[in-house]
Amino acid sequence: MDISGKTRVCGVIGDPIGHTLSPTIHNAAFNHLGLDFVFLAFHVKAAELEKAMRGIRGLGIHGLNVTMPHKSAVIGCLDEVDFTVRFLGSANTILNRGGKLSGFSTDGVGALKALLENGVDLSGKKVLLLGAGGAAKAIAFVLVPEVGELAILNRSVEKAEELAETLGHMFNRKVMGGSLSPNTIKTNLRDSDVLLNATSVGMKPNLSQSLVAPEWLRSDLSVMDIVYNPVKTKLTKDAEAAGAKVVSGVEMLIYQGAESFEIWTGKSAPIKVMRKAALNKLSSKGESK
Ligand code: ATR
């Protein structure tokens, strides 16, 4: 990496930020394509967000990923946001065009591409989405027009019901919202083609947790988990054992990163390079188990 006076700086802001994989993924991609870009992580506390964003403008930082806890608050610091960001009320990607900051959300499209690029057919299919938090909302927004039917189950049922109703009206599609329980998962799974876990259940250190009993999984299901630490969650291990098609959370991480990369560079992202860099980093941290 040859850093010069012309090198463009991108980065990620969040709190905490020490475990982010974004510098690993993006620097690998910049190097692979020989782009004069560098990617850094900035630890920004919530109370410092506005100052940090003034710094972005002042320093001419070219692009940013935004993670917890800033995804919503950052919108107030931007000059323009797209329709997706307005709907979600959160942004995870910023592009600085000559001091004008634009906000985007790449989580939903990242999940969609992770599914499609891994051979999961969505057209006319029934998808069961577990969770109605920030990530689930982004995914649901992008999935509804692509699938036959979407069911959203959430521990706090009112969030699932509200999201389902809003999306159903918005796209004039069948979207069901309900409470998340062993019984509702089991029943909904019976006629589903695709299962998506968009809750944090199964994330380190809760390695033995899954919302889905192994005996409910089938070989004709496709299963994606948005949890990527560990790379193989209890859910995806059980799904693999049942013969289901499995898409790991790393795929969503890579494809949402690829969308951000394309926004900043205008170049097609080197997916394989990004995936390899992420998996190497996760295995060096012992999270690929
Ligand atoms: P993110 O931005 O990563 O989606 P979030 O907005 O905090 O994070 O959402 C976390 C999701 O995981 C929510 O759907 C949450 O359910 P609630 O809305 O009821 O809180 C879900 N979740 C977290 N822990 C859970 C658990 N033990 N069982 C079921 N759902 C859980």
Side-chain angles (χ1 to χ4, degrees):
M1 186 187 302
D2 182 20
I3 294 179
S4 73
K6 291 189 210 146
T7 304
R8 288 194 173 181
V9 180
C10 292
V12 56
I13 58 168
D15 177 30
I17 202 65
H19 294 291
T20 179
L21 291 176
S22 298
T24 304
I25 294 170
H26 289 294
N27 285 318
F30 294 149
N31 285 339
H32 180 77
L33 294 182
L35 299 175
D36 192 9
F37 280 67
V38 67
F39 193 102
L40 302 168
F42 300 104
H43 185 191
V44 175
K45 300 238 177 229
E48 306 296 329
L49 179 63
E50 280 183 30
K51 272 192 241 166
M53 294 308 291
R54 282 203 294 278
I56 300 303
R57 292 176 195 272
L59 293 170
I61 304 267
H62 178 71
L64 275 188
N65 270 154
V66 181
T67 185
M68 295 289 289
H70 306 308
K71 285 185 172 191
S72 299
V74 79
I75 292 176
C77 306
L78 304 178
D79 299 303
E80 62 178 24
V81 296
D82 68 7
F83 178 71
T84 309
V85 171
R86 261 199 299 279
F87 172 74
L88 298 176
S90 71
N92 76 338
T93 302
I94 296 169
L95 175 65
N96 183 356
R97 276 179 284 221
K100 185 173 179 187
L101 302 186
S102 307
F104 307 86
S105 174
T106 67
D107 285 336
V109 68
L112 176 65
K113 286 205 172 166
L115 289 165
L116 296 178
E117 298 291 327
N118 281 284
V120 178
D121 180 18
L122 293 172
S123 166
K125 304 292 182 192
K126 178 173 172 185
V127 177
L128 175 58
L129 177 67
L130 307 181
K137 193 174 177 187
I139 294 169
F141 178 70
V142 171
L143 282 188
V144 171
E146 304 290 330
V147 305
E149 201 181 320
L150 181 69
I152 305 167
L153 303 180
N154 197 49
R155 182 176 59 179
S156 319
V157 63
E158 61 290 345
K159 271 159 71 179
E161 286 171 348
E162 193 191 324
L163 182 57
E165 197 182 324
T166 307
L167 291 174
H169 280 135
M170 186 179 271
F171 294 104
N172 198 19
R173 290 289 180 105
K174 191 170 168 190
V175 185
M176 193 282 275
S179 69
L180 185 150
S181 72
N183 200 33
T184 56
I185 296 173
K186 185 181 174 187
T187 312
N188 272 280
L189 207 46
R190 273 193 205 125
D191 64 346
S192 292
D193 305 289
V194 181
L195 167 67
L196 245 155
N197 175 48
T199 74
S200 47
V201 176
M203 191 185 289
K204 259 192 172 179
N206 302 313
L207 300 181
S208 62
Q209 291 184 0
S210 168
L211 294 167
V212 185
E215 60 271 23
W216 304 339
L217 297 163
R218 315 178 307 267
S219 60
D220 63 338
L221 264 181
S222 296
V223 178
M224 182 164 103
D225 199 333
I226 72 162
V227 173
Y228 64 83
N229 56 338
V231 174
K232 289 192 177 190
T233 59
K234 167 89 166 67
L235 171 62
T236 59
K237 280 185 193 166
D238 289 345
E240 222 168 65
K245 182 187 269 290
V246 169
V247 182
S248 88
V250 173
E251 294 298 298
M252 174 168 159
L253 180 77
I254 295 305
Y255 279 99
Q256 62 88 14
E259 291 297 307
S260 300
F261 181 94
E262 290 172 16
I263 287 170
W264 301 324
T265 65
K267 305 259 188 259
S268 183
I271 295 290
K272 283 187 187 158
V273 170
M274 295 168 98
R275 180 185 291 119
K276 192 171 167 204
L279 289 172
N280 280 346
K281 185 76 174 184
L282 285 165
S283 74
S284 74
K285 293 201 295 180
E287 283 172 355
S288 58
K289 303 282 178 308

